[in-house]
Amino acid sequence: MAVTLVNPEGLPAVDVYRQVSIATGSKLVFLAGQVAWDADGGTVGAGDLAAQVERCYLNVGTALAGASASFADVAKLTVYVVDWTADKMPLLLEGIDRAAARLGITPVPPATLIGVAALDVPEHLVEIEATAVVD
């Protein structure tokens, strides 16, 4: 594997991501932010944060596969959520869990969650971008 995920001593161990990724591969893969679009550009899960998070993760998986990569190669995720408040965390985690179950993975690379006022279209509630490193 080109990416090793760790929680260094002295930093809190967080269940849904690791604090550090160590990348040793030779090919960098940068994904555009993935939103809750189906293959035809239709929004999936309008008004449903969990459904949109799930679709975003599935789209990240598809984009990674297009670069001969997988979630095991992801060094960093950035998650943008419209009008973020802490009470939305259970829906975010539900969407991640559903996507993880469908993909057969445990996506725990370092991640940053950023609350934003809006995304590209009003129906989109979340956008996820990824950076991967492949041997």
Side-chain angles (χ1 to χ4, degrees):
M1 293 282 162
V3 178
T4 303
L5 304 176
V6 296
N7 276 324
E9 189 172 322
L11 293 176
V14 181
D15 291 338
V16 296
Y17 65 89
R18 301 299 176 261
Q19 296 285 0
V20 175
S21 67
I22 302 163
T24 58
S26 59
K27 180 170 75 171
L28 297 176
V29 179
F30 300 93
L31 302 188
Q34 296 300 304
V35 293
W37 275 334
D38 62 19
D40 296 320
T43 298
V44 174
D48 183 341
L49 180 60
Q52 289 200 17
V53 169
E54 177 183 11
R55 185 59 192 219
C56 288
Y57 270 82
L58 295 175
N59 288 350
V60 167
T62 299
L64 288 166
S68 299
S70 72
F71 270 95
D73 301 308
V74 173
K76 177 79 167 71
L77 289 174
T78 304
V79 180
Y80 303 91
V81 182
V82 173
D83 296 326
W84 175 257
T85 56
D87 64 319
K88 294 181 180 178
M89 184 61 81
L91 294 172
L92 180 82
L93 296 175
E94 177 186 336
I96 293 170
D97 287 345
R98 290 184 349 206
R102 288 183 64 183
L103 294 167
I105 60 163
T106 303
V108 293
T112 300
L113 190 153
I114 301 171
V116 297
L119 291 170
D120 60 332
V121 296
E123 295 82 23
H124 291 160
L125 304 175
V126 62
E127 183 168 334
I128 301 173
E129 64 182 23
T131 301
V133 181
V134 182
D135 285 327

